[in-house]
Amino acid sequence: MAAQAAIFTLCNPVNLMTELVLCWHFHQPDYRGDDGVYRLPWTYLHAFKDYSDMAAHLEAHPGVRAVVNFVPVLLDQLDDYADQFRTGAVRDPLLAALIDPQPGSTLEKRRALLAACFRLNVPTMLNWFAGYRALYTTWKNSEEEGDAALADLSEAYFADLVVWYHLAWSGESVRRAHPELARWLVREDHFSLAERRYLFDIIGTVVSHILPRYRALLKRGQIEISTTPHSHPILPLLLDFSTAREARSDLPLPKHPGYPDGRVRAEAHVAAAIATHTAYFGTPPSGCWPAEGGVSEATLEVLQAAGLRWVASGGGVLNHSRAGTQLADAPGWRVGDLSMACFFRDDHLSDLIGFEYQHWHARDAVRHFVHAVESYGQRHSRLATVILDGENAWEYYPYNGWYFLDELYTALEAHAGVSTTTFSAYLDVHETLGHLPRLVAGSWVYGDFTTWVGDVAKNRAWDLLCVAKHAYDITWPGLTPEQQDAAEAILSSCESSDWFWWLGDYNPAESVVLFDVLYRHKLARLYTALGLSEPEILSIPLARGGGGEAESGGVMRRGQA
């Protein structure tokens, strides 16, 4: 390997080095109700599986540098879960079921566990395990009998079910650190309460150490941690609905002409993101992956005014912005008169990891990817930008992507012609960027905003939010400081992009209904926090039901960015 590297160096001088940014994005919306109880368990499950594995790969390969993007509302939830494990006051029903002496003691509990514990990618997370597969088969064979079948199942069935679900969601690094869990994966007998408590304690240790591990990686200079506006809103739409027509001129918009005081809200999300990041990591962020890579020229102005040095977005945005020009390729860009750097996702390289390589043998996939990066450096600028979801892709890979990521990091560490870097580190060395006369507003998805606005249900959701924001503006000055803080926190959550993402008849019906209910529930909570009665319209579903194919047991796989 060393000889190969030396030969490559002789043939490829330093000025031909291709630099590669791997930017892993971590995000979960706020799943807590006003009682602090979690409505969905995805935050701690992804921490147990994905955030832990992603840290382990970086720890095992100190020669690889990367950008890790944490959405602030995810940081808050990870901290809240650490508090649950520390105090024993468990506020997540699924997590509590793991140590419940009788998790199936009522029909209501049984329904909840059956609804929750088969939500995963069945081919890679269930079918491989005979014990788990047997539980699945047992239920599917009797499901049509309804409550009678529920009542016939033993208490041990539900105790085993909740264990198997958490085992399926355990990271490969966790299994390797705890060999007893690996042995459990081949078991077909029942799990005891003591074993369930043991698993609970392992989950607690893993989840509680997520943020300290990334802080350590940051401290040693291996990673840069970037941020996203606090509750993951689409800033361009908060600032101006009409920006959605820059990429799609015919797109239907909400009835309201714009989001009330949208600039104030956008600035609040950015300020809160910087404050949260500083509190958790000890230093303000330099860069930002705005929610879904959503940018507009007004968005860049807000981010630059907040002191951020760089922003990243989707390749489709760059393509739309360069259309009709003769602009040469550049590693990064400055837009108009703005000074902040703009980097754009290479969609081909990113989507190979996000969607394609799950079907390949790990070594073949890595060989193909490294060659693609080498070719990119020869054909384009010498900076390749890979940005994708660092959590959802891996459940579609065998072994949670363990072999692929290990092979990839090993190859990158040894490669003399490809150097991993971060956006800030790149800017520290390279001052010259391309100049983009104008930026066409858009996101990483298709280069536009059709995932969050334009559909009838999505537009109705925006209109409901606009009405609630008017009520907020009128009522807020008369509230106590404590009430103001509570109302502002709920409003921020209502402004999250996730509620709009899941609406639309192309999504799986179960997920559409679930997020529709959660969104209207949050709006109702906002009215309650303002001391107002809940409008009757919030009892009416926004969605007509989804039409997409359900994955992960009914929760559609999000796009990998």
Side-chain angles (χ1 to χ4, degrees), residues 121 352-360 393 396-398 557:
N121 187 48
L352 283 173
I353 298 176
F355 298 103
E356 178 63 30
Y357 289 149
Q358 60 187 266
H359 308 294
W360 292 39
Y396 297 88
Y397 278 73
R557 178 189 184 189

Side-chain angles (χ1 to χ4, degrees), residues 425-445:
Y426 184 87
L427 292 173
D428 288 341
V429 177
H430 305 279
E431 297 182 357
T432 303
L433 298 175
H435 179 255
L436 204 57
R438 66 183 291 263
L439 182 77
V440 175
S443 74
W444 80 274
V445 188

Side-chain angles (χ1 to χ4, degrees), residues 153-430:
L153 293 172
S154 69
E155 183 67 50
Y157 177 93
F158 292 96
D160 291 345
L161 179 61
V162 73
V163 170
W164 269 111
Y165 190 63
H166 285 91
L167 287 177
W169 276 91
S170 59
E172 188 67 18
S173 61
V174 177
R175 296 172 186 174
R176 290 165 183 251
H178 300 276
E180 58 276 27
L181 295 190
R183 289 193 292 270
W184 287 9
L185 292 173
V186 296
R187 280 179 54 168
E188 296 188 43
D189 56 332
H190 297 306
F191 293 96
S192 69
L193 179 57
E195 288 172 323
R196 290 193 276 134
R197 287 174 173 159
Y198 178 72
L199 178 56
F200 177 91
D201 290 340
I202 291 176
I203 296 171
T205 299
V206 171
V207 173
S208 299
H209 283 81
I210 292 296
L211 294 184
R213 292 171 73 184
Y214 283 98
R215 279 195 290 266
L217 289 165
L218 175 66
K219 185 177 181 179
R220 75 188 193 194
Q222 187 178 350
I223 65 171
E224 174 180 7
I225 299 181
S226 58
T227 192
T228 296
H230 186 273
S231 296
H232 209 262
I234 303 294
L235 286 194
L237 296 181
L238 289 188
L239 290 164
D240 185 355
F241 286 158
S242 68
T243 57
R245 286 182 170 165
E246 291 184 22
R248 286 285 303 272
S249 60
D250 59 342
L251 192 69
L253 296 179
K255 293 179 180 178
H256 285 73
Y259 190 63
D261 287 328
R263 190 175 188 91
V264 173
R265 293 303 305 153
E267 291 171 346
H269 279 280
V270 174
I274 293 172
T276 300
H277 186 283
T278 304
Y280 283 111
F281 301 112
T283 182
S286 295
C288 176
W289 168 256
E292 309 294 356
V295 292
S296 63
E297 291 188 1
T299 298
L300 299 190
E301 292 172 1
V302 170
L303 297 175
Q304 179 173 296
L308 291 165
R309 187 182 185 190
W310 61 262
V311 64
S313 184
V317 173
L318 178 61
N319 293 337
H320 289 163
S321 300
R322 294 176 63 185
T325 73
Q326 300 299 316
L327 295 173
D329 288 327
W333 303 83
R334 302 196 195 278
V335 176
D337 297 328
L338 295 171
S339 61
M340 79 179 312
C342 296
F343 297 99
F344 294 95
R345 177 182 191 264
D346 184 272
D347 292 336
H348 173 65
L349 292 176
S350 302
D351 289 346
L352 283 173
I353 298 176
F355 298 103
E356 178 63 30
Y357 289 149
Q358 60 187 266
H359 308 294
W360 292 39
H361 186 280
R363 187 159 298 173
D364 294 337
V366 169
R367 187 182 298 113
H368 182 271
F369 180 79
V370 170
H371 177 70
V373 172
E374 292 168 346
S375 299
Y376 183 94
Q378 294 165 8
R379 291 181 290 107
H380 302 290
S381 68
R382 295 269 164 200
L383 178 69
T385 299
V386 172
I387 305 174
L388 67 149
D389 191 318
E391 54 202 6
N392 288 321
W394 313 124
E395 66 191 82
Y396 297 88
Y397 278 73
Y399 301 100
N400 205 42
W402 180 267
Y403 292 102
F404 169 76
L405 285 166
D406 184 59
E407 292 268 3
L408 175 63
Y409 284 7
T410 298
L412 292 175
E413 276 187 309
H415 202 299
V418 177
S419 173
T420 54
T421 187
T422 68
F423 289 124
S424 287
Y426 184 87
L427 292 173
D428 288 341
V429 177
H430 305 279

Side-chain angles (χ1 to χ4, degrees), residues 476-488:
W476 190 84
L479 302 179
T480 67
E482 293 78 12
Q483 291 171 328
Q484 289 176 342
D485 289 344
E488 200 281 334

